[in-house]
Amino acid sequence: MKYLSERPERKRFLTGKMANLLVITAIFSVFVFALPIFAADGGDALNTAKTLLAKAAQAGGGLWAIWGLVQLGMSIKDHNGPGIQGAI
């Protein structure tokens, strides 16, 4: 019976190169499927893209604010001065 320390290291499935490939594929897919939708609008693509980016920025800002509040609460609970300062 082999001990855990004697087992050969298993290669992780999601390596850095694989993650990069997945991200590039996702970005390419969005552009391939989004461009025909914007083109079908008849010239209103810029407003549609601007609205989409504004909604994404609002959602990202909201998530960032919630994460800051979580960090602030955990820092206050632990009496962590630098953590409180960073969360604020």
Side-chain angles (χ1 to χ4, degrees), residues 16-69:
K17 289 181 182 179
M18 179 68 89
N20 287 341
L21 181 64
L22 288 173
V23 169
I24 290 171
T25 304
I27 291 171
F28 180 73
S29 299
V30 166
F31 279 119
V32 166
F33 294 116
L35 287 178
I37 293 170
F38 288 143
D41 252 351
D44 203 22
L46 187 60
N47 289 334
T48 306
K50 190 170 64 170
T51 304
L52 186 65
L53 288 174
K55 287 181 182 180
Q58 287 175 346
L63 290 173
W64 193 11
I66 290 170
W67 180 250
L69 290 174

mmCIF file of all heavy atoms in Angstrom, residues 16-69:
data_model
loop_
_atom_site.group_PDB
_atom_site.id
_atom_site.type_symbol
_atom_site.label_atom_id
_atom_site.label_comp_id
_atom_site.label_asym_id
_atom_site.label_seq_id
_atom_site.Cartn_x
_atom_site.Cartn_y
_atom_site.Cartn_z
ATOM 1 N N GLY A 16 -2.428 26.716 -16.783
ATOM 2 C CA GLY A 16 -2.463 28.104 -17.234
ATOM 3 C C GLY A 16 -2.742 28.224 -18.723
ATOM 4 O O GLY A 16 -3.507 29.074 -19.156
ATOM 5 N N LYS A 17 -2.126 27.361 -19.516
ATOM 6 C CA LYS A 17 -2.346 27.415 -20.963
ATOM 7 C C LYS A 17 -3.781 27.045 -21.306
ATOM 8 O O LYS A 17 -4.392 27.638 -22.192
ATOM 9 C CB LYS A 17 -1.383 26.481 -21.674
ATOM 10 C CG LYS A 17 0.044 26.957 -21.648
ATOM 11 C CD LYS A 17 0.964 26.012 -22.381
ATOM 12 C CE LYS A 17 2.400 26.496 -22.297
ATOM 13 N NZ LYS A 17 3.313 25.589 -22.983
ATOM 14 N N MET A 18 -4.325 26.069 -20.602
ATOM 15 C CA MET A 18 -5.704 25.651 -20.851
ATOM 16 C C MET A 18 -6.673 26.776 -20.462
ATOM 17 O O MET A 18 -7.642 27.039 -21.178
ATOM 18 C CB MET A 18 -6.031 24.386 -20.061
ATOM 19 C CG MET A 18 -7.450 23.909 -20.262
ATOM 20 S SD MET A 18 -7.771 23.314 -21.900
ATOM 21 C CE MET A 18 -7.343 21.626 -21.695
ATOM 22 N N ALA A 19 -6.402 27.450 -19.355
ATOM 23 C CA ALA A 19 -7.267 28.557 -18.930
ATOM 24 C C ALA A 19 -7.213 29.693 -19.947
ATOM 25 O O ALA A 19 -8.243 30.281 -20.278
ATOM 26 C CB ALA A 19 -6.847 29.048 -17.548
ATOM 27 N N ASN A 20 -6.021 30.010 -20.448
ATOM 28 C CA ASN A 20 -5.906 31.051 -21.469
ATOM 29 C C ASN A 20 -6.675 30.678 -22.723
ATOM 30 O O ASN A 20 -7.347 31.520 -23.322
ATOM 31 C CB ASN A 20 -4.433 31.294 -21.819
ATOM 32 C CG ASN A 20 -3.706 32.028 -20.722
ATOM 33 O OD1 ASN A 20 -4.314 32.655 -19.879
ATOM 34 N ND2 ASN A 20 -2.389 31.937 -20.743
ATOM 35 N N LEU A 21 -6.587 29.433 -23.123
ATOM 36 C CA LEU A 21 -7.300 28.980 -24.304
ATOM 37 C C LEU A 21 -8.809 29.094 -24.115
ATOM 38 O O LEU A 21 -9.540 29.526 -25.014
ATOM 39 C CB LEU A 21 -6.920 27.538 -24.633
ATOM 40 C CG LEU A 21 -7.567 26.926 -25.870
ATOM 41 C CD1 LEU A 21 -7.116 27.667 -27.119
ATOM 42 C CD2 LEU A 21 -7.230 25.462 -25.965
ATOM 43 N N LEU A 22 -9.294 28.740 -22.926
ATOM 44 C CA LEU A 22 -10.731 28.846 -22.643
ATOM 45 C C LEU A 22 -11.202 30.299 -22.673
ATOM 46 O O LEU A 22 -12.270 30.606 -23.199
ATOM 47 C CB LEU A 22 -11.052 28.212 -21.294
ATOM 48 C CG LEU A 22 -10.974 26.682 -21.239
ATOM 49 C CD1 LEU A 22 -11.156 26.206 -19.810
ATOM 50 C CD2 LEU A 22 -12.018 26.071 -22.142
ATOM 51 N N VAL A 23 -10.401 31.212 -22.109
ATOM 52 C CA VAL A 23 -10.778 32.633 -22.092
ATOM 53 C C VAL A 23 -10.797 33.194 -23.505
ATOM 54 O O VAL A 23 -11.732 33.900 -23.893
ATOM 55 C CB VAL A 23 -9.824 33.439 -21.182
ATOM 56 C CG1 VAL A 23 -10.024 34.920 -21.368
ATOM 57 C CG2 VAL A 23 -10.019 33.052 -19.737
ATOM 58 N N ILE A 24 -9.779 32.887 -24.288
ATOM 59 C CA ILE A 24 -9.734 33.376 -25.672
ATOM 60 C C ILE A 24 -10.902 32.816 -26.478
ATOM 61 O O ILE A 24 -11.536 33.539 -27.248
ATOM 62 C CB ILE A 24 -8.383 33.016 -26.321
ATOM 63 C CG1 ILE A 24 -7.269 33.851 -25.679
ATOM 64 C CG2 ILE A 24 -8.411 33.235 -27.823
ATOM 65 C CD1 ILE A 24 -5.882 33.435 -26.068
ATOM 66 N N THR A 25 -11.241 31.559 -26.267
ATOM 67 C CA THR A 25 -12.375 30.958 -26.966
ATOM 68 C C THR A 25 -13.685 31.627 -26.556
ATOM 69 O O THR A 25 -14.554 31.886 -27.397
ATOM 70 C CB THR A 25 -12.440 29.450 -26.674
ATOM 71 O OG1 THR A 25 -11.193 28.858 -27.028
ATOM 72 C CG2 THR A 25 -13.554 28.790 -27.439
ATOM 73 N N ALA A 26 -13.829 31.930 -25.282
ATOM 74 C CA ALA A 26 -15.049 32.594 -24.809
ATOM 75 C C ALA A 26 -15.173 33.995 -25.411
ATOM 76 O O ALA A 26 -16.260 34.391 -25.851
ATOM 77 C CB ALA A 26 -15.056 32.662 -23.289
ATOM 78 N N ILE A 27 -14.072 34.745 -25.444
ATOM 79 C CA ILE A 27 -14.111 36.095 -26.018
ATOM 80 C C ILE A 27 -14.443 36.027 -27.498
ATOM 81 O O ILE A 27 -15.270 36.798 -28.005
ATOM 82 C CB ILE A 27 -12.771 36.810 -25.773
ATOM 83 C CG1 ILE A 27 -12.610 37.126 -24.287
ATOM 84 C CG2 ILE A 27 -12.666 38.085 -26.601
ATOM 85 C CD1 ILE A 27 -11.249 37.641 -23.909
ATOM 86 N N PHE A 28 -13.807 35.108 -28.204
ATOM 87 C CA PHE A 28 -14.087 34.945 -29.628
ATOM 88 C C PHE A 28 -15.548 34.580 -29.862
ATOM 89 O O PHE A 28 -16.191 35.112 -30.766
ATOM 90 C CB PHE A 28 -13.163 33.869 -30.210
ATOM 91 C CG PHE A 28 -13.372 33.636 -31.679
ATOM 92 C CD1 PHE A 28 -12.945 34.558 -32.619
ATOM 93 C CD2 PHE A 28 -14.019 32.491 -32.121
ATOM 94 C CE1 PHE A 28 -13.142 34.347 -33.962
ATOM 95 C CE2 PHE A 28 -14.218 32.270 -33.464
ATOM 96 C CZ PHE A 28 -13.783 33.198 -34.392
ATOM 97 N N SER A 29 -16.100 33.700 -29.045
ATOM 98 C CA SER A 29 -17.497 33.293 -29.194
ATOM 99 C C SER A 29 -18.450 34.454 -28.971
ATOM 100 O O SER A 29 -19.444 34.599 -29.689
ATOM 101 C CB SER A 29 -17.829 32.177 -28.216
ATOM 102 O OG SER A 29 -17.029 31.060 -28.458
ATOM 103 N N VAL A 30 -18.145 35.288 -27.984
ATOM 104 C CA VAL A 30 -19.000 36.448 -27.728
ATOM 105 C C VAL A 30 -19.004 37.377 -28.931
ATOM 106 O O VAL A 30 -20.045 37.865 -29.363
ATOM 107 C CB VAL A 30 -18.531 37.191 -26.450
ATOM 108 C CG1 VAL A 30 -19.172 38.565 -26.358
ATOM 109 C CG2 VAL A 30 -18.855 36.371 -25.226
ATOM 110 N N PHE A 31 -17.826 37.624 -29.504
ATOM 111 C CA PHE A 31 -17.773 38.502 -30.668
ATOM 112 C C PHE A 31 -18.474 37.893 -31.884
ATOM 113 O O PHE A 31 -19.152 38.590 -32.618
ATOM 114 C CB PHE A 31 -16.322 38.851 -31.017
ATOM 115 C CG PHE A 31 -15.764 39.946 -30.177
ATOM 116 C CD1 PHE A 31 -14.669 39.710 -29.367
ATOM 117 C CD2 PHE A 31 -16.328 41.204 -30.162
ATOM 118 C CE1 PHE A 31 -14.142 40.709 -28.577
ATOM 119 C CE2 PHE A 31 -15.818 42.211 -29.382
ATOM 120 C CZ PHE A 31 -14.721 41.967 -28.580
ATOM 121 N N VAL A 32 -18.336 36.607 -32.063
ATOM 122 C CA VAL A 32 -18.963 35.967 -33.217
ATOM 123 C C VAL A 32 -20.478 36.012 -33.107
ATOM 124 O O VAL A 32 -21.174 36.267 -34.088
ATOM 125 C CB VAL A 32 -18.467 34.507 -33.367
ATOM 126 C CG1 VAL A 32 -19.334 33.722 -34.337
ATOM 127 C CG2 VAL A 32 -17.028 34.490 -33.818
ATOM 128 N N PHE A 33 -21.015 35.801 -31.898
ATOM 129 C CA PHE A 33 -22.465 35.780 -31.750
ATOM 130 C C PHE A 33 -23.053 37.157 -31.473
ATOM 131 O O PHE A 33 -24.220 37.389 -31.725
ATOM 132 C CB PHE A 33 -22.865 34.802 -30.644
ATOM 133 C CG PHE A 33 -22.560 33.373 -30.986
ATOM 134 C CD1 PHE A 33 -21.648 32.648 -30.254
ATOM 135 C CD2 PHE A 33 -23.175 32.759 -32.062
ATOM 136 C CE1 PHE A 33 -21.353 31.330 -30.569
ATOM 137 C CE2 PHE A 33 -22.893 31.451 -32.398
ATOM 138 C CZ PHE A 33 -21.976 30.728 -31.647
ATOM 139 N N ALA A 34 -22.262 38.091 -30.957
ATOM 140 C CA ALA A 34 -22.794 39.411 -30.627
ATOM 141 C C ALA A 34 -22.798 40.351 -31.828
ATOM 142 O O ALA A 34 -23.689 41.189 -31.952
ATOM 143 C CB ALA A 34 -21.995 40.041 -29.493
ATOM 144 N N LEU A 35 -21.826 40.241 -32.709
ATOM 145 C CA LEU A 35 -21.765 41.161 -33.845
ATOM 146 C C LEU A 35 -22.983 41.069 -34.762
ATOM 147 O O LEU A 35 -23.506 42.103 -35.165
ATOM 148 C CB LEU A 35 -20.467 40.954 -34.623
ATOM 149 C CG LEU A 35 -19.218 41.485 -33.918
ATOM 150 C CD1 LEU A 35 -17.990 41.190 -34.755
ATOM 151 C CD2 LEU A 35 -19.329 42.956 -33.634
ATOM 152 N N PRO A 36 -23.472 39.884 -35.107
ATOM 153 C CA PRO A 36 -24.689 39.857 -35.926
ATOM 154 C C PRO A 36 -25.902 40.474 -35.224
ATOM 155 O O PRO A 36 -26.748 41.083 -35.871
ATOM 156 C CB PRO A 36 -24.919 38.374 -36.183
ATOM 157 C CG PRO A 36 -23.594 37.744 -36.035
ATOM 158 C CD PRO A 36 -22.905 38.558 -34.980
ATOM 159 N N ILE A 37 -25.972 40.360 -33.932
ATOM 160 C CA ILE A 37 -27.086 40.957 -33.195
ATOM 161 C C ILE A 37 -27.012 42.470 -33.267
ATOM 162 O O ILE A 37 -28.000 43.163 -33.488
ATOM 163 C CB ILE A 37 -27.089 40.472 -31.730
ATOM 164 C CG1 ILE A 37 -27.403 38.985 -31.686
ATOM 165 C CG2 ILE A 37 -28.099 41.255 -30.894
ATOM 166 C CD1 ILE A 37 -27.207 38.354 -30.335
ATOM 167 N N PHE A 38 -25.789 43.028 -33.088
ATOM 168 C CA PHE A 38 -25.624 44.481 -33.176
ATOM 169 C C PHE A 38 -25.874 44.974 -34.598
ATOM 170 O O PHE A 38 -26.423 46.040 -34.804
ATOM 171 C CB PHE A 38 -24.233 44.901 -32.719
ATOM 172 C CG PHE A 38 -24.015 44.786 -31.243
ATOM 173 C CD1 PHE A 38 -22.799 44.374 -30.746
ATOM 174 C CD2 PHE A 38 -25.021 45.086 -30.338
ATOM 175 C CE1 PHE A 38 -22.580 44.274 -29.382
ATOM 176 C CE2 PHE A 38 -24.820 44.980 -28.983
ATOM 177 C CZ PHE A 38 -23.605 44.582 -28.504
ATOM 178 N N ALA A 39 -25.485 44.200 -35.592
ATOM 179 C CA ALA A 39 -25.674 44.595 -36.983
ATOM 180 C C ALA A 39 -27.151 44.596 -37.357
ATOM 181 O O ALA A 39 -27.579 45.362 -38.207
ATOM 182 C CB ALA A 39 -24.897 43.672 -37.907
ATOM 183 N N ALA A 40 -27.954 43.770 -36.736
ATOM 184 C CA ALA A 40 -29.374 43.687 -37.047
ATOM 185 C C ALA A 40 -30.147 44.898 -36.530
ATOM 186 O O ALA A 40 -31.265 45.138 -36.946
ATOM 187 C CB ALA A 40 -29.966 42.410 -36.458
ATOM 188 N N ASP A 41 -29.524 45.661 -35.611
ATOM 189 C CA ASP A 41 -30.203 46.827 -35.055
ATOM 190 C C ASP A 41 -30.351 47.956 -36.067
ATOM 191 O O ASP A 41 -31.210 48.804 -35.913
ATOM 192 C CB ASP A 41 -29.424 47.350 -33.840
ATOM 193 C CG ASP A 41 -30.136 47.061 -32.547
ATOM 194 O OD1 ASP A 41 -31.286 46.611 -32.614
ATOM 195 O OD2 ASP A 41 -29.552 47.297 -31.485
ATOM 196 N N GLY A 42 -29.510 48.013 -37.062
ATOM 197 C CA GLY A 42 -29.618 49.052 -38.070
ATOM 198 C C GLY A 42 -28.971 50.351 -37.635
ATOM 199 O O GLY A 42 -29.562 51.416 -37.796
ATOM 200 N N GLY A 43 -27.778 50.330 -37.071
ATOM 201 C CA GLY A 43 -27.079 51.560 -36.718
ATOM 202 C C GLY A 43 -27.168 51.908 -35.251
ATOM 203 O O GLY A 43 -26.593 52.900 -34.823
ATOM 204 N N ASP A 44 -27.899 51.167 -34.487
ATOM 205 C CA ASP A 44 -28.043 51.464 -33.070
ATOM 206 C C ASP A 44 -27.088 50.618 -32.229
ATOM 207 O O ASP A 44 -27.269 50.485 -31.029
ATOM 208 C CB ASP A 44 -29.488 51.205 -32.646
ATOM 209 C CG ASP A 44 -29.879 51.977 -31.400
ATOM 210 O OD1 ASP A 44 -29.221 52.995 -31.119
ATOM 211 O OD2 ASP A 44 -30.832 51.565 -30.732
ATOM 212 N N ALA A 45 -26.056 50.084 -32.856
ATOM 213 C CA ALA A 45 -25.132 49.178 -32.164
ATOM 214 C C ALA A 45 -24.340 49.903 -31.087
ATOM 215 O O ALA A 45 -24.070 49.339 -30.025
ATOM 216 C CB ALA A 45 -24.189 48.527 -33.158
ATOM 217 N N LEU A 46 -23.961 51.146 -31.345
ATOM 218 C CA LEU A 46 -23.165 51.895 -30.374
ATOM 219 C C LEU A 46 -23.957 52.128 -29.087
ATOM 220 O O LEU A 46 -23.437 51.948 -27.991
ATOM 221 C CB LEU A 46 -22.713 53.218 -30.975
ATOM 222 C CG LEU A 46 -21.745 54.033 -30.151
ATOM 223 C CD1 LEU A 46 -20.473 53.241 -29.907
ATOM 224 C CD2 LEU A 46 -21.423 55.333 -30.845
ATOM 225 N N ASN A 47 -25.213 52.499 -29.213
ATOM 226 C CA ASN A 47 -26.044 52.706 -28.015
ATOM 227 C C ASN A 47 -26.282 51.402 -27.267
ATOM 228 O O ASN A 47 -26.292 51.374 -26.040
ATOM 229 C CB ASN A 47 -27.379 53.342 -28.401
ATOM 230 C CG ASN A 47 -27.218 54.781 -28.817
ATOM 231 O OD1 ASN A 47 -26.285 55.457 -28.393
ATOM 232 N ND2 ASN A 47 -28.114 55.250 -29.665
ATOM 233 N N THR A 48 -26.461 50.323 -28.010
ATOM 234 C CA THR A 48 -26.662 49.022 -27.374
ATOM 235 C C THR A 48 -25.417 48.594 -26.617
ATOM 236 O O THR A 48 -25.504 48.126 -25.478
ATOM 237 C CB THR A 48 -27.023 47.960 -28.432
ATOM 238 O OG1 THR A 48 -28.150 48.420 -29.177
ATOM 239 C CG2 THR A 48 -27.353 46.634 -27.781
ATOM 240 N N ALA A 49 -24.245 48.775 -27.232
ATOM 241 C CA ALA A 49 -22.986 48.411 -26.574
ATOM 242 C C ALA A 49 -22.750 49.287 -25.348
ATOM 243 O O ALA A 49 -22.303 48.808 -24.306
ATOM 244 C CB ALA A 49 -21.831 48.549 -27.556
ATOM 245 N N LYS A 50 -23.057 50.585 -25.468
ATOM 246 C CA LYS A 50 -22.880 51.501 -24.341
ATOM 247 C C LYS A 50 -23.789 51.127 -23.185
ATOM 248 O O LYS A 50 -23.367 51.120 -22.018
ATOM 249 C CB LYS A 50 -23.150 52.942 -24.797
ATOM 250 C CG LYS A 50 -22.762 53.981 -23.775
ATOM 251 C CD LYS A 50 -22.805 55.386 -24.348
ATOM 252 C CE LYS A 50 -24.203 55.767 -24.739
ATOM 253 N NZ LYS A 50 -24.337 57.190 -25.085
ATOM 254 N N THR A 51 -25.005 50.771 -23.470
ATOM 255 C CA THR A 51 -25.945 50.350 -22.428
ATOM 256 C C THR A 51 -25.491 49.052 -21.765
ATOM 257 O O THR A 51 -25.548 48.923 -20.537
ATOM 258 C CB THR A 51 -27.346 50.153 -23.041
ATOM 259 O OG1 THR A 51 -27.741 51.359 -23.677
ATOM 260 C CG2 THR A 51 -28.355 49.774 -21.979
ATOM 261 N N LEU A 52 -25.009 48.124 -22.582
ATOM 262 C CA LEU A 52 -24.525 46.851 -22.051
ATOM 263 C C LEU A 52 -23.317 47.061 -21.137
ATOM 264 O O LEU A 52 -23.237 46.482 -20.055
ATOM 265 C CB LEU A 52 -24.180 45.919 -23.208
ATOM 266 C CG LEU A 52 -23.783 44.497 -22.848
ATOM 267 C CD1 LEU A 52 -24.971 43.779 -22.224
ATOM 268 C CD2 LEU A 52 -23.309 43.763 -24.080
ATOM 269 N N LEU A 53 -22.381 47.901 -21.547
ATOM 270 C CA LEU A 53 -21.203 48.182 -20.724
ATOM 271 C C LEU A 53 -21.579 48.923 -19.442
ATOM 272 O O LEU A 53 -20.993 48.684 -18.382
ATOM 273 C CB LEU A 53 -20.176 48.983 -21.516
ATOM 274 C CG LEU A 53 -19.443 48.201 -22.601
ATOM 275 C CD1 LEU A 53 -18.561 49.134 -23.420
ATOM 276 C CD2 LEU A 53 -18.603 47.100 -21.990
ATOM 277 N N ALA A 54 -22.561 49.818 -19.520
ATOM 278 C CA ALA A 54 -22.992 50.537 -18.323
ATOM 279 C C ALA A 54 -23.618 49.576 -17.311
ATOM 280 O O ALA A 54 -23.357 49.680 -16.107
ATOM 281 C CB ALA A 54 -23.991 51.629 -18.702
ATOM 282 N N LYS A 55 -24.425 48.643 -17.798
ATOM 283 C CA LYS A 55 -25.028 47.653 -16.896
ATOM 284 C C LYS A 55 -23.963 46.755 -16.273
ATOM 285 O O LYS A 55 -24.037 46.418 -15.089
ATOM 286 C CB LYS A 55 -26.050 46.803 -17.641
ATOM 287 C CG LYS A 55 -27.329 47.546 -17.952
ATOM 288 C CD LYS A 55 -28.317 46.660 -18.679
ATOM 289 C CE LYS A 55 -29.580 47.416 -19.038
ATOM 290 N NZ LYS A 55 -30.541 46.569 -19.736
ATOM 291 N N ALA A 56 -22.957 46.369 -17.070
ATOM 292 C CA ALA A 56 -21.875 45.537 -16.542
ATOM 293 C C ALA A 56 -21.070 46.291 -15.490
ATOM 294 O O ALA A 56 -20.680 45.725 -14.463
ATOM 295 C CB ALA A 56 -20.968 45.075 -17.677
ATOM 296 N N ALA A 57 -20.837 47.587 -15.722
ATOM 297 C CA ALA A 57 -20.097 48.395 -14.749
ATOM 298 C C ALA A 57 -20.885 48.544 -13.452
ATOM 299 O O ALA A 57 -20.314 48.482 -12.355
ATOM 300 C CB ALA A 57 -19.781 49.766 -15.345
ATOM 301 N N GLN A 58 -22.181 48.731 -13.553
ATOM 302 C CA GLN A 58 -23.007 48.848 -12.355
ATOM 303 C C GLN A 58 -23.028 47.541 -11.572
ATOM 304 O O GLN A 58 -22.928 47.534 -10.342
ATOM 305 C CB GLN A 58 -24.436 49.240 -12.728
ATOM 306 C CG GLN A 58 -24.566 50.674 -13.162
ATOM 307 C CD GLN A 58 -25.971 51.006 -13.632
ATOM 308 O OE1 GLN A 58 -26.786 50.110 -13.884
ATOM 309 N NE2 GLN A 58 -26.265 52.287 -13.765
ATOM 310 N N ALA A 59 -23.137 46.426 -12.271
ATOM 311 C CA ALA A 59 -23.138 45.127 -11.597
ATOM 312 C C ALA A 59 -21.789 44.862 -10.938
ATOM 313 O O ALA A 59 -21.725 44.406 -9.792
ATOM 314 C CB ALA A 59 -23.465 44.016 -12.592
ATOM 315 N N GLY A 60 -20.713 45.157 -11.640
ATOM 316 C CA GLY A 60 -19.377 44.974 -11.066
ATOM 317 C C GLY A 60 -19.146 45.866 -9.863
ATOM 318 O O GLY A 60 -18.568 45.437 -8.856
ATOM 319 N N GLY A 61 -19.592 47.108 -9.939
ATOM 320 C CA GLY A 61 -19.450 48.021 -8.810
ATOM 321 C C GLY A 61 -20.259 47.570 -7.604
ATOM 322 O O GLY A 61 -19.814 47.684 -6.461
ATOM 323 N N GLY A 62 -21.431 47.049 -7.858
ATOM 324 C CA GLY A 62 -22.252 46.541 -6.762
ATOM 325 C C GLY A 62 -21.619 45.342 -6.077
ATOM 326 O O GLY A 62 -21.596 45.250 -4.846
ATOM 327 N N LEU A 63 -21.076 44.430 -6.882
ATOM 328 C CA LEU A 63 -20.391 43.269 -6.302
ATOM 329 C C LEU A 63 -19.150 43.691 -5.525
ATOM 330 O O LEU A 63 -18.861 43.142 -4.460
ATOM 331 C CB LEU A 63 -20.008 42.273 -7.401
ATOM 332 C CG LEU A 63 -21.178 41.535 -8.048
ATOM 333 C CD1 LEU A 63 -20.690 40.710 -9.224
ATOM 334 C CD2 LEU A 63 -21.869 40.652 -7.024
ATOM 335 N N TRP A 64 -18.426 44.693 -6.032
ATOM 336 C CA TRP A 64 -17.231 45.183 -5.349
ATOM 337 C C TRP A 64 -17.612 45.825 -4.010
ATOM 338 O O TRP A 64 -16.936 45.647 -3.000
ATOM 339 C CB TRP A 64 -16.506 46.163 -6.240
ATOM 340 C CG TRP A 64 -15.109 46.512 -5.815
ATOM 341 C CD1 TRP A 64 -14.357 45.910 -4.856
ATOM 342 C CD2 TRP A 64 -14.296 47.540 -6.353
ATOM 343 N NE1 TRP A 64 -13.132 46.503 -4.769
ATOM 344 C CE2 TRP A 64 -13.068 47.506 -5.672
ATOM 345 C CE3 TRP A 64 -14.499 48.488 -7.344
ATOM 346 C CZ2 TRP A 64 -12.042 48.401 -5.967
ATOM 347 C CZ3 TRP A 64 -13.467 49.363 -7.633
ATOM 348 C CH2 TRP A 64 -12.259 49.325 -6.948
ATOM 349 N N ALA A 65 -18.708 46.570 -3.990
ATOM 350 C CA ALA A 65 -19.170 47.190 -2.750
ATOM 351 C C ALA A 65 -19.587 46.136 -1.727
ATOM 352 O O ALA A 65 -19.269 46.249 -0.535
ATOM 353 C CB ALA A 65 -20.333 48.139 -3.040
ATOM 354 N N ILE A 66 -20.283 45.119 -2.175
ATOM 355 C CA ILE A 66 -20.694 44.051 -1.257
ATOM 356 C C ILE A 66 -19.467 43.334 -0.702
ATOM 357 O O ILE A 66 -19.392 43.047 0.500
ATOM 358 C CB ILE A 66 -21.647 43.069 -1.977
ATOM 359 C CG1 ILE A 66 -22.985 43.755 -2.231
ATOM 360 C CG2 ILE A 66 -21.849 41.800 -1.162
ATOM 361 C CD1 ILE A 66 -23.916 42.978 -3.129
ATOM 362 N N TRP A 67 -18.482 43.050 -1.558
ATOM 363 C CA TRP A 67 -17.263 42.395 -1.086
ATOM 364 C C TRP A 67 -16.525 43.280 -0.079
ATOM 365 O O TRP A 67 -15.980 42.792 0.907
ATOM 366 C CB TRP A 67 -16.352 42.054 -2.261
ATOM 367 C CG TRP A 67 -15.092 41.381 -1.828
ATOM 368 C CD1 TRP A 67 -13.845 41.888 -1.858
ATOM 369 C CD2 TRP A 67 -14.973 40.084 -1.249
ATOM 370 N NE1 TRP A 67 -12.957 40.985 -1.353
ATOM 371 C CE2 TRP A 67 -13.623 39.866 -0.971
ATOM 372 C CE3 TRP A 67 -15.887 39.076 -0.951
ATOM 373 C CZ2 TRP A 67 -13.161 38.700 -0.406
ATOM 374 C CZ3 TRP A 67 -15.411 37.908 -0.379
ATOM 375 C CH2 TRP A 67 -14.069 37.731 -0.119
ATOM 376 N N GLY A 68 -16.514 44.593 -0.290
ATOM 377 C CA GLY A 68 -15.891 45.514 0.665
ATOM 378 C C GLY A 68 -16.592 45.479 2.013
ATOM 379 O O GLY A 68 -15.940 45.519 3.066
ATOM 380 N N LEU A 69 -17.914 45.398 2.005
ATOM 381 C CA LEU A 69 -18.650 45.313 3.265
ATOM 382 C C LEU A 69 -18.373 43.999 3.991
ATOM 383 O O LEU A 69 -18.253 43.972 5.215
ATOM 384 C CB LEU A 69 -20.150 45.469 3.002
ATOM 385 C CG LEU A 69 -20.605 46.872 2.586
ATOM 386 C CD1 LEU A 69 -22.083 46.858 2.220
ATOM 387 C CD2 LEU A 69 -20.344 47.872 3.693
#
